């Protein structure tokens, strides 16, 4: 699940930068990776059909897929690609 501060689909840029720095301590990112990591994430959300997964899911998994579909939609609605 997402950081609680971004449950509405809006990223806290400072928290994302801190997470990226912590991640980079374990697996270094080059300049290209840093410049494109959000674009890649947005692309992944945009092309994944979470609603189809929800519709096709077993009854005990539907809530999980619906939560992911709603979160992805919210993130994309609040996206500002630079």
């Amino acid at each position: 699940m997402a950081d609680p501060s971004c449950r509405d689909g809006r990223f806290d840029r400072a928290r994302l930068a801190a997470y990226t720095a912590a991640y980079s301590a374990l697996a270094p990112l080059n300049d290209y990776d840093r410049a494109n990591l959000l674009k890649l994430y947005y692309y992944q959300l945009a092309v994944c059909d979470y609603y189809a997964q929800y519709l096709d899911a077993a009854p005990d998994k539907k809530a999980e897929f619906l939560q992911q579909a709603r979160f992805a939609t919210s993130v994309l609605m609040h996206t500002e690609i630079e």
Side-chain angles (χ1 to χ4, degrees), residues 57-73:
D60 64 325
K61 295 291 185 180
K62 281 195 179 287
E64 181 180 337
F65 282 107
L66 184 57
Q67 180 181 17
Q68 179 60 39
R70 288 178 172 163
F71 177 74
T73 299

Side-chain angles (χ1 to χ4, degrees), residues 5-47:
S5 70
C6 66
R7 286 188 184 215
D8 69 350
R10 298 175 198 264
F11 287 101
D12 179 323
R13 297 282 179 169
R15 290 178 68 92
L16 180 60
Y19 173 83
T20 303
Y23 179 89
S24 294
L26 300 173
L29 298 172
N30 61 37
D31 290 341
Y32 179 86
D33 293 337
R34 289 178 189 277
N36 291 289
L37 66 92
L38 276 178
K39 291 176 188 174
L40 178 62
Y41 179 59
Y42 295 146
Y43 176 79
Q44 184 269 326
L45 290 178
V47 300

